[in-house]
């Protein structure tokens, strides 16, 4: 045990010696985190929030400038946090999330490893270091919290100091201990990364079979869409992104497995994902053509371009390098995030201004959209033998009512003909017209959304009213009902039966 502790301390010393700027940043931001509780400074909060980004930039420069005349850039990186004192709060904004992704991708490509095995080894080593450091830092933090509250309860001391302790302990654990543990684990030999029994079992018996099931589901849906000549549902885009990403990530891990049971699948992965990719682009461009670009749809196009580029790269042996795919991702994501004039927000503004929909609101916090779906066009009664006006609960005949979040359609004896959750019913009606739950509803589709097909009848809503609090949120139904109930004509032969 003593030898293991000595070996661990020696490796920690090596990590500190080879990463002096990272260690300095960890200590500095640990102090910043503690100071933030004492002074509650908004600009300091932004700086602390960007610590993971700044830390990874320093790690990247450490890897890129080792033994070169540009080494000074690595040491200067400890001052990169200063401009962030003047940055606005954007906690978990699109800008922040994309930046966090980009800096991690830059770290992976910084030493330009074209060999796929070496590139993936670095990725696995990085992933294991992050997970191990996060797990141990989290355990250490939870133990410290447990000890604190135990002492407080047993000895009745440190009363009313919980908030300060939580702030200090969180800063020490996640800004101090976690980065140091990451440096420690990330210096392990890359050849050790990934090859073990758990890794083999996870890929061969869990992840790859699940991926095959996804492939079958998407192929069946592709056949359905093709036969019915309909549009893919909006949420299918997210399933396709997950499917293609998982396919190429698991493909990259195959060389490290002792047995490759699914080599036949991954060998032809570029061909296999093409139908899913086709559905992705059809659904994406239909919605852009109908409703224009939003910030989210710009990134949807960029992600699609990254996936398409990756698929094309792996069609040819000379270009089948994960390095190139990651570089493509960095370039495209950076272009629509940091270059003025072509950012996702700029593209959204230009697109929506042409449609007369911009600005949507000065602030997302003040956004409020209320829509009322009605249709006063003539009603075609061909094929129906009876038409009834749908009234309220106490008017007799066919009537409609809403109770809480459920819609009911009842006959004159108050027997329920149809019932459904209001929001879910609206989403189903939207999906039949190729709309995602978060899409805006164009007036041209009001008549079709208001038509509800039942087993032996057609119900046409008189009105559906709904609202939402942001452009990318779903609608909440405030009212639905009224309208007409049309009973389908039954043939004489069917009546005799």
């Amino acid at each position: 045990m003593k030898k293991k502790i000595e070996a661990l301390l020696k490796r920690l010393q090596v990590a500190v010696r080879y990463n002096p700027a990272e260690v300095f940043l960890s200590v500095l931001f640990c102090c910043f985190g503690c100071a933030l509780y004492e002074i509650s400074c908004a600009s300091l909060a932004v700086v602390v929030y960007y610590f993971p980004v700044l830390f990874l930039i320093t790690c990247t420069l450490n890897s890129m400038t080792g033994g070169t005349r540009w080494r000074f850039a690595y040491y200067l990186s400890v001052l990169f946090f200063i401009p962030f004192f003047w940055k606005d709060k954007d906690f978990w904004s699109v800008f922040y999330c994309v930046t966090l992704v980009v800096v991690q991708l830059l770290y992976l490509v910084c030493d330009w490893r074209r060999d796929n095995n070496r590139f993936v080894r670095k990725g696995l080593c990085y992933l294991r270091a992050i997970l191990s450091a996060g797990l141990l830092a989290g355990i250490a933090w939870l133990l410290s919290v447990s000890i604190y509250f135990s002492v407080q309860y047993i000895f009745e001391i440190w009363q009313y100091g919980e908030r300060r302790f939580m702030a200090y302990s969180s800063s020490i654990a996640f800004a101090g201990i976690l980065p140091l543990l990451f440096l420690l684990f990330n210096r392990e030999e890359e050849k050790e990364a990934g090859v073990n029994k758990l890794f083999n079992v996870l890929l061969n018996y869990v992840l790859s079979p699940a991926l095959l099931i996804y492939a079958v589901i998407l192929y069946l849906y592709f056949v359905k869409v093709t036969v019915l000549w309909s549009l893919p549902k909006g949420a299918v885009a997210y399933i396709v992104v997950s499917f293609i990403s998982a396919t190429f990530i698991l493909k990259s891990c195959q060389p490290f497995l002792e047995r490759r049971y699914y080599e036949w699948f991954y060998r032809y992965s570029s061909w296999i994902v093409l139908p899913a990719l086709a559905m992705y682009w059809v659904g994406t461009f239909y919605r852009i053509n109908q409703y224009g670009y939003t910030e989210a749809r710009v990134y949807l196009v960029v992600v699609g371009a990254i996936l398409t580029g990756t698929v094309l790269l792996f069609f040819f042996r000379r270009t089948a390098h994960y390095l190139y795919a990651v570089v493509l991702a960095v370039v495209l994501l950076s272009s629509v995030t940091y270059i003025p004039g072509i950012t996702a927000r700029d593209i959204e503004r230009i697109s929506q201004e042409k449609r007369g929909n911009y600005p949507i609101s000065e602030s997302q916090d003040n956004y409020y959209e209320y829509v009322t779906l009605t249709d006063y066009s003539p009603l075609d009664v061909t094929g129906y033998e009876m038409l009834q006006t749908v009234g309220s609960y106490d008017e007799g005949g066919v009537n409609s009512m809403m109770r809480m979040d459920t819609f009911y359609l009842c006959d004159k004896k108050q027997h329920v003909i149809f019932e459904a959750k209001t929001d879910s019913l609206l989403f189903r009606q939207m999906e039949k017209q190729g709309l995602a739950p978060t899409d805006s509803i164009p007036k041209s589709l009001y008549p079709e959304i208001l038509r509800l097909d039942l087993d032996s009848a057609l119900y046409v809503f008189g009105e559906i009213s709904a609202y939402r609090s942001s452009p990318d949120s779903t609608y909440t139904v405030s009212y639905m009902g009224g309208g007409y109930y049309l009973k389908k004509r039954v043939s004489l032969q069917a009546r005799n039966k």
Side-chain angles (χ1 to χ4, degrees), residues 237-373:
Y238 303 105
I239 298 174
V240 171
V241 170
S242 302
F243 171 67
I244 298 178
S245 302
T247 298
F248 283 94
I249 290 172
L250 295 181
K251 176 186 173 78
S252 72
C253 297
Q254 293 302 299
F256 305 106
L257 298 177
E258 294 174 358
R259 295 183 180 180
R260 305 178 195 176
Y261 298 119
Y262 302 96
E263 185 67 24
W264 55 272
F265 176 82
Y266 294 108
R267 186 184 298 121
Y268 301 105
S269 55
S270 289
W271 292 101
I272 290 170
V273 302
L274 285 180
L277 203 57
M279 287 193 295
Y280 182 93
W281 283 117
V282 168
T284 298
F285 280 120
Y286 172 79
R287 284 169 178 80
I288 290 172
N289 184 58
Q290 288 289 104
Y291 316 114
Y293 281 98
T294 62
E295 191 173 12
R297 291 191 186 114
V298 172
Y299 281 106
L300 198 65
V301 171
V302 169
V303 170
I306 294 168
L307 295 177
T308 305
T310 302
V311 170
L312 293 176
L313 286 172
F314 278 83
F315 268 120
F316 309 100
R317 183 171 296 180
R318 181 173 293 182
T319 58
H321 297 288
Y322 287 99
L323 173 69
Y324 298 161
V326 174
V327 169
L328 176 66
V330 170
V331 171
L332 292 180
L333 288 172
S334 299
S335 298
V336 297
T337 305
Y338 309 120
I339 301 178
I342 61 169
T343 64
R345 191 163 293 179
D346 289 329
I347 295 172
E348 176 189 64
R349 174 179 52 78
I350 294 169
S351 175
Q352 296 302 326
E353 278 180 347
K354 291 179 180 179
R355 295 170 174 267
N357 296 333
Y358 199 89
I360 296 173
S361 173
E362 294 182 1
S363 169
Q364 292 285 69
D365 295 333
N366 298 327
Y367 181 92
Y368 185 81
E369 179 187 357
Y370 188 87
V371 294
T372 300
L373 283 67

